[in-house]
Each structure stands twice: as C-alpha cells, then as structure tokens.
Amino acid sequence: MAKLIGPKKVKTAVFISGTGSNLKNLIKFSKIKSSPVSIDLIFSNNSKAKGLNFSGQFNIKKYVSNLKNSKLAETKILDLLKKENIKFICLAGFMKILSKSFIKNFNGKIINIHPSLLPKYKGLNTHTKAIQNKDKITGCTVHFVTAKLDSGKIILQKKIKIFKKDTPATLAKKVLKREHKLYPAAIKKVFN
Ligand code: GAR
C-alpha cells in the first residue's frame, strides 16, 4: 500500500452506523503529521447515527443512505467516492454488510475494526458471547474487509483481560477504549 503515499495524505472515507467514537478518534488522528490518511467523507446507513454530528464539527462531507435498494444505493456511493477521490475506507461501527461487488471496487482498500479477537466471535454480541463462554481474555481486531464477514487478513489485534465482575457493558467500554489506540496503529501499519 506504500505506493499510495505521496506528499499528500490518502483521502479516506469512514463508514459508521452509530455513536462514532472511533470516527472521532480517527479524525483527530488524521490531523497529526504522521497520519498517512485524511478523513474526507463520512458515510452512514443510519440517518440518526450520532456520529454524523462530527461532520459539522470537523467540517467533513457526509452522505447518508439506508442502503435499502442496495445495488442502486451502492452504485451511488461508489460514484460519490470516485468524485471525492476517496482511495481508502475505514469501517468504524458500520453494521451493514457491503456487497461483493462493492468490496471488489475497493479491493484491499477497506479495513474494519471488530470488538473481539478474530477469528473468535464474528458478527454481533461479541462481549456477551465471551462472557457466556467464560473466556478470560477478549480484545479487538483491525482487519482487511473481504466478501466473507469478519474474515479478511488481520492487521493488528489487542488482548484485554476479562474479570469475573465484567458485564457485556463494562467489557464493551474497556474494549472500545483500546480500539481507539488500535485503529490508528493499524492504519499506520497498512501504509508502512
Ligand atoms: C465498536 O466497538 C466497533 O468495534 C463495533 O461497534 C462499536 C462502534 O462504536 N463494530 C462492530 O461490532 C462491527 N461488527 P463507535 O460507533 O463508538 O465507534
């Protein structure tokens, strides 16, 4: 991926569905000199996503589509990404599955953060599953996105201890905090 780096930062879109704490963290990271990316577009499939507020706060373009008519909607997003010269996509709490053809258009250039130590606990409710299975360790993973859910090549992972007193909510909070360190580190690794 290093060949993407010139004197300018790589134009990047962040896809969200909810709170957007990872989005906010990536925007802040993108502003430091050593960041290989700039965040130039926020996309959400959910018009009520709190994270969309960061568009106004940081003066970044946003685009919303519920992806109901998925084929047409994805074509529109692809057109917009092309128009904005977006070369890289970070999924950050994006709860929709992108089609094979969308992913093909950005082959090797979409990454995702997931709140588990993949390949363990793909999909939803990762913290509940970890606690129910009495795991002693969980974590978070940044990986490349492929057509198979949560299965692309792993870029970085961080382990986090689970204590007896942990609930899915306390675990989610702890993991999210670590995600905010892991995602920028993974982006740096991708471009180095
Ligand atoms: C994060 O924990 C992220 O790993 C998870 O959603 C949360 C979003 O938080 N993503 C997934 O579960 C994707 N399968 P945020 O909106 O505050 O960044």
Side-chain angles (χ1 to χ4, degrees), residues 63-82:
Y63 180 69
V64 179
S65 160
N66 61 17
L67 293 172
K68 283 260 157 70
N69 181 348
S70 57
K71 194 121 204 173
L72 183 69
E74 280 192 354
T75 307
K76 278 193 182 167
I77 300 168
L78 284 169
D79 286 347
L80 177 66
L81 295 172
K82 204 171 170 192

Side-chain angles (χ1 to χ4, degrees), residues 19-22 93 95 113-115 176 179:
T19 314
S21 71
N22 274 291
M95 301 314 232
I113 190 150
H114 185 77
L176 192 60
E179 288 182 31

Side-chain angles (χ1 to χ4, degrees), residues 98-132:
L98 294 164
S99 74
K100 274 184 193 164
S101 79
F102 185 96
I103 294 167
K104 224 172 148 190
N105 269 279
F106 271 83
N107 197 11
K109 299 192 175 79
I110 310 178
I111 64 173
N112 178 44
I113 190 150
H114 185 77
S116 79
L117 286 176
L118 289 173
K120 237 180 174 182
Y121 309 137
K122 296 173 184 173
L124 299 175
N125 305 317
T126 56
H127 306 305
T128 306
K129 288 175 191 163
I131 287 175
Q132 275 172 356

Side-chain angles (χ1 to χ4, degrees), residues 35-52:
S35 166
V37 298
S38 62
I39 308 300
D40 297 283
L41 187 74
I42 299 165
F43 170 70
S44 180
N45 64 309
N46 170 15
S47 61
K48 295 197 168 65
K50 253 179 78 185
L52 283 169

Side-chain angles (χ1 to χ4, degrees), residues 5-182:
I5 301 194
K8 283 191 183 153
K9 295 182 180 183
V10 177
K11 283 182 166 255
T12 296
V14 181
F15 285 21
I16 61 163
S17 299
T19 314
S21 71
N22 274 291
L23 164 66
K24 185 182 182 194
N25 181 59
L26 289 182
I27 294 171
K28 291 200 160 161
F29 164 68
S30 74
K31 293 185 184 300
I32 67 172
K33 209 175 162 203
S34 64
S35 166
V37 298
S38 62
I39 308 300
D40 297 283
L41 187 74
I42 299 165
F43 170 70
S44 180
N45 64 309
N46 170 15
S47 61
K48 295 197 168 65
K50 253 179 78 185
L52 283 169
N53 291 330
F54 297 122
S55 159
Q57 196 175 321
F58 292 97
N59 196 20
I60 297 169
K61 278 188 188 159
K62 69 176 172 191
Y63 180 69
V64 179
S65 160
N66 61 17
L67 293 172
K68 283 260 157 70
N69 181 348
S70 57
K71 194 121 204 173
L72 183 69
E74 280 192 354
T75 307
K76 278 193 182 167
I77 300 168
L78 284 169
D79 286 347
L80 177 66
L81 295 172
K82 204 171 170 192
K83 193 174 136 230
E84 297 297 330
N85 207 16
I86 300 291
K87 301 285 188 221
F88 194 65
I89 298 173
C90 294
L91 308 185
F94 185 64
M95 301 314 232
K96 270 261 174 190
I97 294 173
L98 294 164
S99 74
K100 274 184 193 164
S101 79
F102 185 96
I103 294 167
K104 224 172 148 190
N105 269 279
F106 271 83
N107 197 11
K109 299 192 175 79
I110 310 178
I111 64 173
N112 178 44
I113 190 150
H114 185 77
S116 79
L117 286 176
L118 289 173
K120 237 180 174 182
Y121 309 137
K122 296 173 184 173
L124 299 175
N125 305 317
T126 56
H127 306 305
T128 306
K129 288 175 191 163
I131 287 175
Q132 275 172 356
N133 288 339
K134 299 195 171 24
D135 290 355
K136 294 207 161 44
I137 287 199
T138 185
C140 43
T141 304
V142 179
H143 64 96
F144 285 102
V145 172
T146 60
K148 227 171 148 203
L149 180 71
D150 297 331
S151 298
K153 189 171 172 243
I154 290 168
I155 301 161
L156 274 184
Q157 283 187 313
K158 180 72 193 173
K159 287 181 184 159
I160 295 148
K161 275 189 189 155
I162 304 178
F163 296 110
K164 279 221 171 76
K165 62 175 192 304
D166 271 319
T167 63
T170 62
L171 210 50
K173 208 171 155 189
K174 273 199 289 191
V175 172
L176 192 60
K177 209 170 155 198
R178 285 304 319 192
E179 288 182 31
H180 296 163
K181 284 197 177 158
L182 194 73

